[in-house]
Amino acid sequence: MIVNTCGFIDDAAKESLDTIGEALAENGKGIVTGCLGAKSTEAGDNLVRQMHPSVLAVTGPQATQEVMDAVHANLPKPHDPFVDLVPNAFGGGSQTYS
């Protein structure tokens, strides 16, 4: 799940953190983007990662490419029925076919 957050208004930041927790509880995976993703704690740690260390990625606002990179990095490889069913199709073994 991708959670777009707000970090400027305290109530909205709390709601964003709650939503991230709900998304992780529901799905187990989550990517966080938006203003809250760019916020740090007083110690300099990322606020979202401190509260929810299991998120897959955290980006700031207007980080479309970074979000897409995180999605592609964490999605399973698409199934290709023409290649996936052929044993050792790409150098996985020593068989040769003639």
Side-chain angles (χ1 to χ4, degrees), residues 3-23:
V3 180
N4 188 21
T5 62
C6 175
F8 291 111
I9 302 167
D10 289 339
D11 287 343
K14 182 186 178 327
E15 183 179 345
S16 293
L17 289 169
D18 291 345
T19 302
I20 294 165
E22 291 170 13

Side-chain angles (χ1 to χ4, degrees), residues 24-53:
L24 291 172
E26 178 78 23
N27 183 297
K29 297 178 182 177
I31 296 170
V32 177
T33 189
C35 297
L36 188 61
K39 276 199 161 187
S40 298
T41 64
E42 290 180 19
D45 299 321
N46 181 275
L47 178 64
V48 173
R49 286 234 185 251
Q50 182 182 33
M51 299 297 293
H52 299 288

